[in-house]
Amino acid sequence: MNLIPVLTIDGPSGVGKGTVARIMAQKLGWYLLDSGAIYRAFALAVNGRNIDISDEFSLVEIANNLDLEFKAEAGAELVSVYLDGKDVSKVLRTEQTGEMASRIASIGVVRTALLKRQQAFAKIPGLVADGRDMGTVVFADAAFKVFLTASAQERANRRLKQLQNQGSEGIISQILADVMVRDERDSSRKHSPLIPAKDALIIDTTELSIDEVITQVSELIKA
Ligand code: C5P
């Protein structure tokens, strides 16, 4: 039994996990883990070192020595991410980095090497963790589990809006294609595939506003 309360929020890309997790963490006053950012930063680290991704020994070494820091800057909506002392926040959140992360995240030894780093985020008074396998693997004994879904078209629309808000551009048909490729890879991989935990509350957010999703998640915590 885990004494630290953990709320896991899993789901496919573009479903709004990050936004829901951030709002819930603020509301509850709990820590926040964006596990996708860890996989993304790891992918950047591997990319910057010119390593073949079949070289599992080097991958594990990089994972074990990943110099990664999250900093919540006053007034900023998203946390800043520092890799090897450099602010990589912008490049971290591009589609290209997401794609690299998704490829590398399917490697079992990488997932094992990054497991403890993620689990270390669970601290009193509590943690909100978002990702793909938070409720099934990383925090399998979490007290509260949510799995968000939405149609691929709706998720591509949301992703486009998010990119535009960050001052980037995107083409909706390309984003939709990328979202579908990434979902398929994340769902069909052998290690920690994207599936709802048996005890997760599944919320289809296609027709829901953020406020409506927050209400449902808040009810789960109070129940
Ligand atoms: O959530 P985000 O889009 O930032 O994640 C990037 C990629 O990292 C995902 O497509 C997925 O393949 C991988 N990931 C994962 N497990 C997590 C979080 C992210 O495999 N817990």
Side-chain angles (χ1 to χ4, degrees), residues 17 35-36 39-40 98 101-102 105 111 131-134 182 186 189:
K17 301 181 299 285
S35 61
Y39 283 97
R40 284 168 182 260
S102 161
R111 304 199 72 86
R132 304 292 187 292
D133 61 342
M134 298 296 100
R182 199 125 73 81
D186 289 349
R189 69 185 175 209

PDB file of all heavy atoms in Angstrom, residues 17 35-36 39-40 98 101-102 105 111 131-134 182 186 189, ligand 1:
ATOM      1  N   LYS A  17      -3.824  15.461 -21.358  1.00  0.00           N
ATOM      2  CA  LYS A  17      -3.314  14.966 -20.065  1.00  0.00           C
ATOM      3  C   LYS A  17      -2.510  16.029 -19.342  1.00  0.00           C
ATOM      4  O   LYS A  17      -2.651  16.221 -18.148  1.00  0.00           O
ATOM      5  CB  LYS A  17      -2.358  13.767 -20.249  1.00  0.00           C
ATOM      6  CG  LYS A  17      -2.900  12.586 -20.929  1.00  0.00           C
ATOM      7  CD  LYS A  17      -1.831  11.483 -20.997  1.00  0.00           C
ATOM      8  CE  LYS A  17      -0.588  11.869 -21.769  1.00  0.00           C
ATOM      9  NZ  LYS A  17      -0.721  11.903 -23.210  1.00  0.00           N
ATOM     10  N   SER A  35       5.862  12.633 -17.367  1.00  0.00           N
ATOM     11  CA  SER A  35       6.819  11.566 -17.708  1.00  0.00           C
ATOM     12  C   SER A  35       7.219  11.620 -19.175  1.00  0.00           C
ATOM     13  O   SER A  35       8.325  11.215 -19.549  1.00  0.00           O
ATOM     14  CB  SER A  35       6.255  10.196 -17.355  1.00  0.00           C
ATOM     15  OG  SER A  35       5.072   9.955 -18.078  1.00  0.00           O
ATOM     16  N   GLY A  36       6.326  12.155 -20.024  1.00  0.00           N
ATOM     17  CA  GLY A  36       6.671  12.298 -21.447  1.00  0.00           C
ATOM     18  C   GLY A  36       7.894  13.188 -21.608  1.00  0.00           C
ATOM     19  O   GLY A  36       8.729  12.950 -22.488  1.00  0.00           O
ATOM     20  N   TYR A  39      11.008  11.106 -21.266  1.00  0.00           N
ATOM     21  CA  TYR A  39      11.323  10.343 -22.490  1.00  0.00           C
ATOM     22  C   TYR A  39      11.803  11.268 -23.606  1.00  0.00           C
ATOM     23  O   TYR A  39      12.703  10.922 -24.379  1.00  0.00           O
ATOM     24  CB  TYR A  39      10.105   9.522 -22.942  1.00  0.00           C
ATOM     25  CG  TYR A  39       9.929   8.296 -22.091  1.00  0.00           C
ATOM     26  CD1 TYR A  39       9.045   8.281 -21.022  1.00  0.00           C
ATOM     27  CD2 TYR A  39      10.702   7.159 -22.318  1.00  0.00           C
ATOM     28  CE1 TYR A  39       8.905   7.167 -20.213  1.00  0.00           C
ATOM     29  CE2 TYR A  39      10.579   6.031 -21.511  1.00  0.00           C
ATOM     30  CZ  TYR A  39       9.680   6.051 -20.459  1.00  0.00           C
ATOM     31  OH  TYR A  39       9.578   4.940 -19.669  1.00  0.00           O
ATOM     32  N   ARG A  40      11.201  12.452 -23.684  1.00  0.00           N
ATOM     33  CA  ARG A  40      11.614  13.404 -24.717  1.00  0.00           C
ATOM     34  C   ARG A  40      13.058  13.876 -24.464  1.00  0.00           C
ATOM     35  O   ARG A  40      13.875  13.939 -25.384  1.00  0.00           O
ATOM     36  CB  ARG A  40      10.675  14.612 -24.730  1.00  0.00           C
ATOM     37  CG  ARG A  40       9.331  14.311 -25.375  1.00  0.00           C
ATOM     38  CD  ARG A  40       8.318  15.419 -25.126  1.00  0.00           C
ATOM     39  NE  ARG A  40       7.035  15.105 -25.711  1.00  0.00           N
ATOM     40  CZ  ARG A  40       6.596  15.581 -26.874  1.00  0.00           C
ATOM     41  NH1 ARG A  40       7.303  16.449 -27.544  1.00  0.00           N
ATOM     42  NH2 ARG A  40       5.421  15.215 -27.352  1.00  0.00           N
ATOM     43  N   GLY A  98       8.875  14.425 -30.062  1.00  0.00           N
ATOM     44  CA  GLY A  98       7.858  13.467 -29.617  1.00  0.00           C
ATOM     45  C   GLY A  98       7.983  12.156 -30.383  1.00  0.00           C
ATOM     46  O   GLY A  98       7.873  11.059 -29.807  1.00  0.00           O
ATOM     47  N   ALA A 101      11.034  10.335 -29.189  1.00  0.00           N
ATOM     48  CA  ALA A 101      10.771   9.786 -27.851  1.00  0.00           C
ATOM     49  C   ALA A 101       9.937   8.515 -27.959  1.00  0.00           C
ATOM     50  O   ALA A 101      10.202   7.521 -27.284  1.00  0.00           O
ATOM     51  CB  ALA A 101      10.058  10.824 -26.995  1.00  0.00           C
ATOM     52  N   SER A 102       8.943   8.546 -28.827  1.00  0.00           N
ATOM     53  CA  SER A 102       8.059   7.400 -28.966  1.00  0.00           C
ATOM     54  C   SER A 102       8.822   6.160 -29.457  1.00  0.00           C
ATOM     55  O   SER A 102       8.588   5.039 -29.010  1.00  0.00           O
ATOM     56  CB  SER A 102       6.914   7.785 -29.914  1.00  0.00           C
ATOM     57  OG  SER A 102       6.282   6.665 -30.423  1.00  0.00           O
ATOM     58  N   ALA A 105      11.106   5.002 -26.572  1.00  0.00           N
ATOM     59  CA  ALA A 105      10.346   4.565 -25.391  1.00  0.00           C
ATOM     60  C   ALA A 105       9.835   3.132 -25.539  1.00  0.00           C
ATOM     61  O   ALA A 105       9.323   2.561 -24.582  1.00  0.00           O
ATOM     62  CB  ALA A 105       9.169   5.510 -25.153  1.00  0.00           C
ATOM     63  N   ARG A 111      13.043   1.781 -20.544  1.00  0.00           N
ATOM     64  CA  ARG A 111      11.926   1.990 -19.607  1.00  0.00           C
ATOM     65  C   ARG A 111      12.350   1.592 -18.187  1.00  0.00           C
ATOM     66  O   ARG A 111      12.061   2.281 -17.230  1.00  0.00           O
ATOM     67  CB  ARG A 111      10.685   1.215 -20.045  1.00  0.00           C
ATOM     68  CG  ARG A 111      10.215   1.541 -21.451  1.00  0.00           C
ATOM     69  CD  ARG A 111       8.778   1.138 -21.681  1.00  0.00           C
ATOM     70  NE  ARG A 111       7.867   2.010 -20.968  1.00  0.00           N
ATOM     71  CZ  ARG A 111       7.414   3.166 -21.443  1.00  0.00           C
ATOM     72  NH1 ARG A 111       7.761   3.585 -22.637  1.00  0.00           N
ATOM     73  NH2 ARG A 111       6.606   3.901 -20.720  1.00  0.00           N
ATOM     74  N   GLY A 131       1.212  10.381 -18.277  1.00  0.00           N
ATOM     75  CA  GLY A 131       2.018   9.601 -19.215  1.00  0.00           C
ATOM     76  C   GLY A 131       1.217   8.543 -19.922  1.00  0.00           C
ATOM     77  O   GLY A 131       0.050   8.742 -20.276  1.00  0.00           O
ATOM     78  N   ARG A 132       1.871   7.391 -20.154  1.00  0.00           N
ATOM     79  CA  ARG A 132       1.208   6.285 -20.854  1.00  0.00           C
ATOM     80  C   ARG A 132       1.024   5.078 -19.939  1.00  0.00           C
ATOM     81  O   ARG A 132       0.104   4.299 -20.113  1.00  0.00           O
ATOM     82  CB  ARG A 132       2.045   5.838 -22.063  1.00  0.00           C
ATOM     83  CG  ARG A 132       2.369   6.928 -23.078  1.00  0.00           C
ATOM     84  CD  ARG A 132       1.125   7.379 -23.794  1.00  0.00           C
ATOM     85  NE  ARG A 132       1.394   8.314 -24.885  1.00  0.00           N
ATOM     86  CZ  ARG A 132       1.849   9.556 -24.748  1.00  0.00           C
ATOM     87  NH1 ARG A 132       2.122  10.030 -23.552  1.00  0.00           N
ATOM     88  NH2 ARG A 132       2.042  10.334 -25.799  1.00  0.00           N
ATOM     89  N   ASP A 133       1.959   4.926 -18.992  1.00  0.00           N
ATOM     90  CA  ASP A 133       1.967   3.718 -18.146  1.00  0.00           C
ATOM     91  C   ASP A 133       2.035   4.079 -16.671  1.00  0.00           C
ATOM     92  O   ASP A 133       2.552   3.312 -15.863  1.00  0.00           O
ATOM     93  CB  ASP A 133       3.163   2.833 -18.516  1.00  0.00           C
ATOM     94  CG  ASP A 133       4.495   3.540 -18.302  1.00  0.00           C
ATOM     95  OD1 ASP A 133       4.511   4.786 -18.194  1.00  0.00           O
ATOM     96  OD2 ASP A 133       5.523   2.847 -18.225  1.00  0.00           O
ATOM     97  N   MET A 134       1.553   5.267 -16.320  1.00  0.00           N
ATOM     98  CA  MET A 134       1.629   5.692 -14.921  1.00  0.00           C
ATOM     99  C   MET A 134       0.772   4.767 -14.040  1.00  0.00           C
ATOM    100  O   MET A 134       1.206   4.321 -12.978  1.00  0.00           O
ATOM    101  CB  MET A 134       1.158   7.147 -14.770  1.00  0.00           C
ATOM    102  CG  MET A 134       1.989   8.173 -15.513  1.00  0.00           C
ATOM    103  SD  MET A 134       3.685   8.286 -14.915  1.00  0.00           S
ATOM    104  CE  MET A 134       4.553   7.336 -16.107  1.00  0.00           C
ATOM    105  N   ARG A 182       1.933   7.547 -33.833  1.00  0.00           N
ATOM    106  CA  ARG A 182       2.464   7.493 -32.467  1.00  0.00           C
ATOM    107  C   ARG A 182       1.547   6.631 -31.570  1.00  0.00           C
ATOM    108  O   ARG A 182       2.031   5.821 -30.792  1.00  0.00           O
ATOM    109  CB  ARG A 182       2.580   8.920 -31.924  1.00  0.00           C
ATOM    110  CG  ARG A 182       3.484   9.063 -30.768  1.00  0.00           C
ATOM    111  CD  ARG A 182       4.563  10.103 -30.994  1.00  0.00           C
ATOM    112  NE  ARG A 182       4.085  11.477 -30.961  1.00  0.00           N
ATOM    113  CZ  ARG A 182       3.869  12.162 -29.856  1.00  0.00           C
ATOM    114  NH1 ARG A 182       3.988  11.583 -28.673  1.00  0.00           N
ATOM    115  NH2 ARG A 182       3.525  13.422 -29.922  1.00  0.00           N
ATOM    116  N   ASP A 186       2.659   3.361 -29.611  1.00  0.00           N
ATOM    117  CA  ASP A 186       2.569   3.336 -28.145  1.00  0.00           C
ATOM    118  C   ASP A 186       1.634   2.224 -27.648  1.00  0.00           C
ATOM    119  O   ASP A 186       1.849   1.644 -26.586  1.00  0.00           O
ATOM    120  CB  ASP A 186       2.071   4.693 -27.611  1.00  0.00           C
ATOM    121  CG  ASP A 186       3.125   5.799 -27.764  1.00  0.00           C
ATOM    122  OD1 ASP A 186       4.287   5.475 -28.074  1.00  0.00           O
ATOM    123  OD2 ASP A 186       2.771   6.976 -27.580  1.00  0.00           O
ATOM    124  N   ARG A 189       3.254  -1.644 -28.576  1.00  0.00           N
ATOM    125  CA  ARG A 189       4.593  -2.069 -28.155  1.00  0.00           C
ATOM    126  C   ARG A 189       4.505  -3.139 -27.053  1.00  0.00           C
ATOM    127  O   ARG A 189       3.497  -3.215 -26.334  1.00  0.00           O
ATOM    128  CB  ARG A 189       5.417  -0.861 -27.689  1.00  0.00           C
ATOM    129  CG  ARG A 189       4.931  -0.268 -26.408  1.00  0.00           C
ATOM    130  CD  ARG A 189       5.699   0.998 -26.042  1.00  0.00           C
ATOM    131  NE  ARG A 189       5.125   1.597 -24.869  1.00  0.00           N
ATOM    132  CZ  ARG A 189       5.155   2.892 -24.595  1.00  0.00           C
ATOM    133  NH1 ARG A 189       5.725   3.726 -25.427  1.00  0.00           N
ATOM    134  NH2 ARG A 189       4.617   3.345 -23.492  1.00  0.00           N
TER     135      ARG A 189
HETATM  136  O1  C5P B   1       3.378  12.583 -23.564  1.00  0.00           O
HETATM  137  P1  C5P B   1       4.398  12.932 -24.594  1.00  0.00           P
HETATM  138  O2  C5P B   1       3.843  13.211 -25.953  1.00  0.00           O
HETATM  139  O3  C5P B   1       5.301  14.043 -24.129  1.00  0.00           O
HETATM  140  O4  C5P B   1       5.326  11.652 -24.719  1.00  0.00           O
HETATM  141  C1  C5P B   1       6.245  11.483 -25.774  1.00  0.00           C
HETATM  142  C2  C5P B   1       6.411   9.989 -26.045  1.00  0.00           C
HETATM  143  O5  C5P B   1       7.059   9.401 -24.930  1.00  0.00           O
HETATM  144  C3  C5P B   1       5.107   9.221 -26.217  1.00  0.00           C
HETATM  145  O6  C5P B   1       4.658   9.139 -27.556  1.00  0.00           O
HETATM  146  C4  C5P B   1       5.444   7.842 -25.682  1.00  0.00           C
HETATM  147  O7  C5P B   1       5.948   7.005 -26.682  1.00  0.00           O
HETATM  148  C5  C5P B   1       6.552   8.100 -24.691  1.00  0.00           C
HETATM  149  N1  C5P B   1       6.072   7.977 -23.324  1.00  0.00           N
HETATM  150  C6  C5P B   1       6.013   6.714 -22.792  1.00  0.00           C
HETATM  151  N2  C5P B   1       5.628   6.542 -21.504  1.00  0.00           N
HETATM  152  C7  C5P B   1       5.290   7.597 -20.747  1.00  0.00           C
HETATM  153  C8  C5P B   1       5.319   8.896 -21.285  1.00  0.00           C
HETATM  154  C9  C5P B   1       5.713   9.063 -22.596  1.00  0.00           C
HETATM  155  O8  C5P B   1       6.284   5.730 -23.469  1.00  0.00           O
HETATM  156  N3  C5P B   1       4.955   7.394 -19.497  1.00  0.00           N
END
